[in-house]
Amino acid sequence: MSKYRHELPQLSGNRLLTDGGLETTLVFHDAMELPYFAAFTLMEEESGRDRLKRYFTRYIEVARQHGVGFVLDTPTWRANPDWAAKLGYDADRLADLNRRCVAFLVALRWQLESGRTPIVINGVIGPRGDGYQPDRLMSAIEAEAYHAAQVKCFAGTETDMISAITMNYAEEAIGIARAAGKAGMPVAISFTVETDGRLPTGQTLRDAIAMVDRETGNAPAYYMINCAHPTHFQGVLAETGDWLGRIRGLRANASSLSHAELDAATELDDGNPQELGSQYRNLLRILDKAVVLGGCCGTDHRHIEQIAGHCLAETVAA
């Protein structure tokens, strides 16, 4: 039975941390082979599970040191049918791996959770296609049907919530939100943007959020921005409106490079952790409801430590 599904700590206005760039850490820092950036395959071997445990424990310890909660993500960003098929997984084996990822994190929660540091188990759903390019556009109906199996799989476990991460067009986000609603799961929608602050389709972030809310009856518990540097989207946040209050999470890249430049890069650009922490603090003056703070590509524990140091003294109204 889930612990926080019906009362997510982040909806009370309390700030929580989450991790950094799992896949880029594994590939560039740990020199691990990670075909298709699929971290869920690490669950197959004890060495992989040990690596994931070390990775997440380091971040949870930062949260414990600051006396805040933590959103603990399943390593399932690529654990959907199309990507899994490329790795030789059929539907049954894929469902089993999704469930095992949750059970693995639940065990870690039992070891590390405290009264001051609630740990929310978050089932991560990634895009059907490429995270940077909307190369296969689905209708909302198609997206709901495609992602429903993974949503239902998480709903049948101790997963507290679902997050759709690196969404690059609104229809896929709508489909996931609808599937989560039917499964009784709270869901966060996290959009990525290009250097101009717009989704890769050219849609504005404001319009994408409005579209998802309109088409789902405000189903998402909140929205996030991920896989973009603060300099890419801080300008669009100058627009006023209630839509800004729907953004409750930030998971920025360490690098200010564009998606195309990051795709072509052979070395990791880990930016400046201290500068990133300061940029987050400035963003929170605009996004005063943002409570989930973490990183994306190129970020590691150093960036999260700086984000925590710069931001956790701030207070948030529910």
Side-chain angles (χ1 to χ4, degrees), residues 9-33:
Q10 58 265 53
L11 297 185
S12 68
N14 297 317
R15 286 210 170 118
L16 290 81
L17 295 177
T18 188
D19 65 301
L22 170 61
E23 292 83 6
T24 52
T25 295
L26 294 173
V27 171
F28 290 100
H29 287 305
D30 297 348
M32 297 184 69
E33 291 188 13

Side-chain angles (χ1 to χ4, degrees), residues 196-236:
D196 61 359
R198 292 173 176 260
L199 274 61
T201 57
Q203 186 177 33
T204 68
L205 181 61
R206 179 176 187 163
D207 286 348
I209 290 174
M211 182 176 174
V212 176
D213 273 348
R214 182 177 65 251
E215 296 297 324
T216 65
N218 297 325
Y222 57 90
Y223 292 85
M224 298 175 60
I225 304 171
N226 84 286
C227 210
H229 192 262
T231 57
H232 298 168
F233 57 85
Q234 62 186 11
V236 304

Side-chain angles (χ1 to χ4, degrees), residues 78-86 89 91 94 128 146-147 149-150:
R78 286 297 200 210
N80 62 55
D82 285 7
W83 290 103
K86 295 179 180 182
Y89 287 81
L94 178 60
R128 181 177 187 174
Y146 179 80
H147 290 289
Q150 192 176 18

Side-chain angles (χ1 to χ4, degrees), residues 269-290:
D269 179 1
D270 59 2
N272 182 321
Q274 185 173 3
E275 181 181 55
L276 188 66
S278 177
Q279 289 168 329
Y280 266 58
R281 182 177 58 195
N282 292 335
L283 287 171
L284 293 182
R285 295 189 176 114
I286 303 170
L287 299 174
D288 60 359
K289 294 294 190 296

